[in-house]
Amino acid sequence: GIPISVQPCCWPNSPDEMGSKTSTTAKVLSNEEKKQLAKEKFKKAHNATFDGDSISAEGIRELRAQGQEPIIVDVRTGDERKVSQLKGSIDEKQFWELDEKSIGGRPIIAYCTIGFRSGLFAQKLKNQGFTHVYNSEGVVLWTHDAKAEPLIRVATPHDESGKSKDIPVKEVHVYGNEWDLADNSCKSEMFSSMSSVTVGALGTLRSIISRSLFKGKKPPPPVENGTGQGLHTATGRNVVEKKDAT
């Protein structure tokens, strides 16, 4: 069989824990220590999942300053997105509903908590023929960038306008204890539901197996994404951190 190494996932502390809980981890680390640990975890996740480039909050600002508006894809679960998300981000389903004109020459940036799930998604896009694809450092490191736009929560409309409202928040879903490294000014929440975690873990495991099966093989030629929409093949200037050769 194919040897597969799976990092420990964020399983609940006990089987009877349900729902989402606020982190009670003692904040014994300084923000600088948390930031450094988060960067180390991101680098490890990125190198294990994506053979392309990474991009930080600063890199996204630079892209926008050059007139490039990226498509930011949040690959986390709906429960995580309900706590907070990057302003203007879309989920995977919304991404696959975009047509070729909507994608155009725009950069595609995937993000999750610390870069593992988003790395798998970015690699999937690259293997399918998409270009100008990047793996974001993730929502945890986003909280450590003082110049970054605040995280937002999309509020359900309570009037006849039907328009949702973006509410700035200082809360972030960190998935599990291991990734509870957000800036100390943020309130951290994490999974404690066995069912929610199981769904996320199984999806990740499936992606790992798929990546292992095709690792080292030439990716398939660009094809349509199954909805009759052409795949993105634009290129653009990289304002990113280049992936290490290791």
Side-chain angles (χ1 to χ4, degrees):
I2 299 172
I4 299 175
S5 175
V6 181
Q7 293 294 321
C9 194
C10 53
W11 297 107
N13 294 327
S14 62
D16 59 342
E17 290 181 336
M18 296 298 292
S20 184
K21 66 178 181 179
T22 300
S23 169
T24 56
T25 304
K27 293 181 178 177
V28 295
L29 299 177
S30 67
N31 280 331
E32 191 56 39
E33 290 171 322
K34 284 187 169 185
K35 183 177 180 179
Q36 182 60 38
L37 280 173
K39 280 188 171 292
E40 291 173 2
K41 288 183 180 296
F42 168 73
K43 184 176 181 180
K44 183 177 181 180
H46 178 74
N47 288 341
T49 57
F50 185 41
D51 62 5
D53 299 326
S54 64
I55 188 167
S56 63
E58 180 180 4
I60 294 175
R61 288 197 297 274
E62 291 181 19
L63 283 176
R64 287 171 170 162
Q66 296 169 11
Q68 300 185 64
E69 185 56 41
I71 299 171
I72 301 179
V73 187
D74 188 339
V75 304
R76 300 176 303 158
T77 66
D79 286 339
E80 292 169 276
R81 284 175 58 81
K82 286 178 183 177
V83 175
S84 64
Q85 57 189 268
L86 302 190
K87 185 175 181 179
S89 64
I90 58 176
D91 61 25
E92 289 187 56
K93 181 177 182 295
Q94 291 171 313
F95 173 77
W96 292 117
E97 290 173 348
L98 295 176
D99 57 26
E100 188 173 10
K101 183 178 180 181
S102 298
I103 295 175
R106 298 166 64 186
I108 304 171
I109 300 171
Y111 85 92
C112 61
T113 304
I114 206 72
F116 189 85
R117 289 172 289 173
S118 56
L120 291 171
F121 181 76
Q123 188 64 47
K124 177 180 178 181
L125 295 185
K126 185 175 180 181
N127 288 348
Q128 291 188 9
F130 287 82
T131 59
H132 211 176
V133 179
Y134 308 109
N135 187 21
S136 166
E137 288 184 337
V139 70
V140 167
L141 277 169
W142 187 274
T143 68
H144 287 280
D145 189 320
K147 295 182 180 180
E149 286 186 301
L151 297 172
I152 59 100
R153 178 178 298 144
V154 179
T156 303
H158 295 287
D159 55 37
E160 295 180 356
S161 70
K163 294 182 179 180
S164 59
K165 183 179 181 181
D166 293 347
I167 302 176
V169 293
K170 297 285 284 185
E171 297 180 41
V172 62
H173 202 296
V174 297
Y175 204 91
N177 281 310
E178 184 180 347
W179 300 275
D180 188 9
L181 299 170
D183 187 275
N184 285 328
S185 65
C186 288
K187 175 184 176 183
S188 296
E189 292 194 18
M190 63 183 68
F191 281 127
S192 58
S193 166
M194 199 62 140
S195 59
S196 296
V197 176
T198 300
V199 170
L202 289 177
T204 298
L205 181 59
R206 184 178 62 228
S207 297
I208 294 172
I209 293 173
S210 176
R211 178 169 165 79
S212 298
L213 288 172
F214 293 100
K215 190 173 183 180
K217 295 184 179 180
K218 185 178 180 180
V223 295
E224 290 192 343
N225 62 18
T227 63
Q229 300 160 359
L231 293 181
H232 177 55
T233 56
T235 59
R237 180 174 179 269
N238 294 351
V239 187
V240 297
E241 294 182 20
K242 294 293 182 181
K243 179 175 172 61
D244 293 345
T246 56

